[in-house]
Amino acid sequence: MILAIAAARGLYFAALMLLFGSAAFEVLLKKQLPFVAPVLLPRRGMLLAALAAALVWFALAAAQMADAADLATIRLAATATLFGNLFVLRVAVLLGLLLLPARRLTGTAVLAAAALSLPSATSHAATASPAGLAATGTILDAVHLLTCGFWIGGLAVLIALFRRKDPNMLQVLSLFSDTALVAVLLLAMTGMINIVTILLVGNHVRAPVYLAVLGAKLALVGIMLALALVNRFALTEAGEHPKIARNAVIELGLGLIVVLLAGLLGQLSPVQ
Amino acid sequence: MKKIVLLMLLATSPAFAHAKLVNSDPAANSNVKSPSMIKLSFSETLEPAFSTATLTDGAGRTVPVPRSVGGATITLLPIGLKPGAYKVNWQAVGHDTHKLSGSFGFKVIP
């Protein structure tokens, strides 16, 4: 049950991060480099994946809460729990996204950001926050998800531009480096605060499985950061575009694994 | 700024990321006079629809008691508990949808 919920959770976040990040970076490209033709990644596939993952995640979470999987349980979970209320809102936002024309990039970015960050109110960061600071935990978790989304979705756009051999790659790379750097700094900062809140406050025994998954996640993020730094400070200067493209693909692949691990972390108990 | 955030985190009571029982009245394994209220305090806000507690006597029979769930607390309101051993079984679901359960006993003395 835990692995199934973790997989659904990870898929939901991965699909929405790609959707939000790609739309947000394309909005930025349109404003800063209007001569770059839009990429418009296949949005419907990401949306349907997010919608299916949301439904599975909710049904499994309801069954987990009640030890039952009947219609009455599903209805009670949807109407009488915070997770359920937010689920209904998320589905409404996703349906709104399905109706939105693909070229409405700003609308796509805003709605995808809402769907991506709504589960933050029921995250470990929110529920583990000391009394009175749940809202702070929610905001920190939302910023963590959105900045990760910008990084991963931006990489997807970058890879698509490399594939079509866009003539403006140098300017695009420069714009991505500058904005992704801010996103990664915020990502690291909120991640560190979340770790302190969830794990380091209080004198409790930490769960070894949680620590192992967190360690694997941090190791992969370390590799992603190293690749990003090599791209930014060595390869971009040298104009090594094929190597940058290869590293971007590896970074994106690692990023998606990190998101799946984050999905699992959300289901594990941090302390014994 | 970092110091202020750390101080805020360290100065307040910690939570556990799952709703754990942090305190009960009567306390576990205690001997008390017939209580008019049994209060279970958890580490985080509970989902009332899926959180509950029941009371059983020494023979394992369920003792019917009114109960309420609010915030991070489950309250049972027993009336006239006779001397003997009792057990409270609880199930707590937090906003993160994770469920924990447990039990503790206490003894009512004349």
Side-chain angles (χ1 to χ4, degrees):
Chain A
M1 176 76 104
I2 285 179
L3 285 178
I5 297 179
R9 203 170 176 268
L11 179 62
Y12 179 83
F13 286 133
L16 278 170
M17 280 179 182
L18 282 170
L19 192 62
F20 161 70
S22 60
F25 188 55
E26 289 233 58
V27 168
L28 207 63
L29 275 175
K30 203 173 164 185
K31 280 190 181 159
Q32 303 287 321
L33 306 171
F35 43 85
V36 176
V39 173
L40 301 178
L41 293 174
R43 202 179 70 148
R44 193 166 286 266
M46 293 186 264
L47 261 174
L48 291 176
L51 202 51
L55 291 169
V56 172
W57 180 8
F58 173 71
L60 292 175
Q64 180 180 253
M65 285 191 281
D67 281 335
D70 51 85
L71 207 58
T73 300
I74 299 277
R75 194 178 297 127
L76 186 64
T79 55
T81 67
L82 179 62
F83 180 79
N85 296 163
L86 292 175
F87 161 76
V88 173
L89 202 54
R90 280 191 285 146
V91 169
V93 172
L94 291 175
L95 292 176
L97 266 167
L98 269 174
L99 297 174
L100 198 69
R103 292 196 168 271
R104 300 287 292 271
L105 289 167
T106 305
T108 300
V110 170
L111 289 180
L116 178 58
S117 55
L118 277 171
S120 293
T122 56
S123 66
H124 276 166
T127 55
S129 291
L133 289 177
T136 312
T138 302
I139 291 167
L140 286 171
D141 190 71
V143 172
H144 194 67
L145 290 172
L146 292 171
T147 48
C148 185
F150 184 83
W151 189 7
I152 286 175
L155 278 170
V157 173
L158 210 59
I159 291 165
L161 289 170
F162 270 122
R163 290 224 163 123
R164 79 171 184 207
K165 296 187 176 14
D166 194 280
N168 309 294
M169 277 319 291
L170 203 60
Q171 291 109 306
V172 174
L173 277 172
S174 172
L175 180 65
F176 182 71
S177 292
D178 293 345
T179 48
L181 182 70
V182 177
V184 169
L185 284 174
L186 278 170
L187 179 71
M189 198 174 79
T190 50
M192 280 190 291
I193 296 173
N194 285 348
I195 288 174
V196 169
T197 310
I198 295 168
L199 275 179
L200 301 182
V201 176
N203 187 26
H204 315 295
V205 180
R206 323 293 167 210
V209 178
Y210 188 93
L211 290 179
V213 177
L214 179 64
K217 183 189 166 198
L218 291 177
L220 291 180
V221 170
I223 298 171
M224 287 177 71
L225 278 173
L227 286 171
L229 289 172
V230 168
N231 276 355
R232 174 70 181 85
F233 295 106
L235 300 179
T236 304
E237 307 275 319
E240 296 266 19
H241 288 188
K243 285 184 182 171
I244 298 173
R246 184 203 59 195
N247 284 356
V249 171
I250 298 171
E251 250 184 89
L252 179 59
L254 291 175
L256 293 174
I257 296 171
V258 166
V259 174
L260 291 176
L261 289 178
L264 180 57
L265 281 177
Q267 287 305 303
L268 298 173
S269 179
V271 294
Q272 286 180 328
Chain B
M1 182 63 188
K2 278 182 187 169
K3 277 183 183 174
I4 293 171
V5 171
L6 269 176
L7 276 174
M8 283 169 74
L9 291 171
L10 294 171
T12 46
S13 60
F16 302 83
H18 285 179
K20 291 195 173 181
L21 181 68
V22 289
N23 188 28
S24 71
D25 182 19
N29 305 317
S30 61
N31 294 324
V32 294
K33 298 248 177 194
S34 183
S36 57
M37 181 195 287
I38 301 169
K39 193 174 170 187
L40 289 76
S41 301
F42 292 85
S43 56
E44 60 185 66
T45 307
L46 303 174
E47 289 292 0
F50 294 100
S51 301
T52 189
T54 56
L55 183 67
T56 54
D57 63 17
R61 289 181 299 251
T62 301
V63 180
V65 285
R67 65 171 172 262
S68 66
V69 183
T73 305
I74 299 178
T75 307
L76 301 177
L77 299 169
I79 301 165
L81 288 183
K82 292 175 181 160
Y86 290 88
K87 189 174 171 188
V88 177
N89 299 290
W90 57 265
Q91 174 184 297
V93 174
H95 283 331
D96 57 9
T97 74
H98 299 143
K99 183 173 69 182
L100 288 180
S101 56
S103 62
F104 66 89
F106 65 91
K107 197 175 271 181
V108 173
I109 54 172

